[in-house]
């Protein structure tokens, strides 16, 4: 394989199969699976489990066997390799709900080309639901069928549904006017993890804002949202592949409105 060859969607699904099998071996079991705590900004508890380590290890091995010239960055094992194509892996996004037995976690797999996110996969193996995107579009599949994803457009701000994963960072970031935003939308929901981003791509949520994402948290989701018609940027309106404070919306007009509120109150 060559360094400039992008994978196809079938390969994304094969990786999701591998990560899903490894994850489910440790899901809803009675064993102690937390290996360590990696506290980060605004969160006292950010666990790493056996499932995180195993799923990423197996995905890395599979990628390297097929695409030895591709670079990989993952939450658990860092960066390896170099080149124009890079895989971005979050073996279990939503480890806290994983520990609680709540199926709001997923295996996240992304691909960047020259730094831009071009392919993504979000797979929830316990309920058998997947969301993915390539150059041809954004899709979802489950026991209920196979559908093309499309974000909701032309929604007024006062009718918009807003999501952020946790209220914990709000008080520590008074310069980001999230409170002002919550007063102007229809309702605000918490705790959906990466599923909220998938539901934005599916037209069920209108805006998702997160205070501090890593590349592996957002890169796999960017193509899924963008190919469904949505917008993903940082607070300054730039590309979000590097993470940070990230806003995703289903509509460019709504996106600009919300950026203005978050930045100015």
């Amino acid at each position: 394989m060559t360094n400039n060859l992008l994978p196809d969607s079938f390969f994304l699904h094969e990786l999701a199969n591998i990560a899903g099998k490894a994850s489910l071996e440790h899901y809803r079991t009675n064993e102690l699976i937390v290996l360590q705590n990696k506290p980060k900004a605004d969160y006292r508890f950010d666990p790493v489990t056996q499932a995180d380590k195993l799923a990423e290890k197996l995905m890395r091995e599979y990628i390297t066997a097929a695409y030895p010239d591709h670079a990989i960055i993952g939450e658990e094992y860092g960066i390896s390799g170099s080149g124009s194509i890079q895989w971005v892996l979050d073996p279990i996004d939503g480890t806290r709900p994983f520990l609680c037995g709540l199926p709001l976690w997923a295996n996240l797999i992304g691909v960047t080309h020259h730094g831009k996110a071009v392919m993504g996969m979000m797979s929830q193996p316990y309920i058998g639901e997947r969301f993915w995107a390539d150059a041809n579009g954004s899709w979802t599949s489950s026991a209920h069928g196979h559908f093309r994803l499309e974000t909701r457009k032309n929604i007024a701000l006062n009718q918009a549904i807003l999501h952020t994963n946790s209220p914990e960072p709000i008080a520590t970031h008074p310069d980001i006017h999230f409170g002002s935003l919550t007063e102007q939308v229809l309702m605000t929901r918490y705790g959906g993890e990466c599923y909220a981003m998938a539901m934005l791509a599916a037209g069920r949520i209108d805006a998702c804002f997160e205070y501090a994402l890593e590349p592996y948290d957002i890169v796999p989701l960017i193509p899924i949202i963008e190919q469904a018609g949505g917008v993903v940027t940082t607070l300054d309106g730039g590309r979000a592949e590097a993470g940070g404070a990230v806003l995703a919306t289903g509509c460019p007009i709504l996106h600009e409105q919300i950026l203005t509120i978050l930045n100015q109150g």
Side-chain angles (χ1 to χ4, degrees), residues 8 19 22 32 39 53 59 94 98 118 135 138 171 187 203 214 217 249 258:
D8 55 23
L32 182 63
K53 295 281 190 180
M59 284 193 289
F98 182 93
V118 293
S138 187
M187 69 174 183
E214 297 294 335
D217 296 318
T249 64
I258 292 177

Side-chain angles (χ1 to χ4, degrees), residues 162-165 176 178 207-211 235 245-248 262:
L162 171 66
H163 180 275
T164 191
N165 196 52
I176 300 174
F178 190 82
C208 295
F209 177 72
E210 296 300 333
Y211 285 84
L235 266 181
V246 173
L247 173 67
L262 290 173

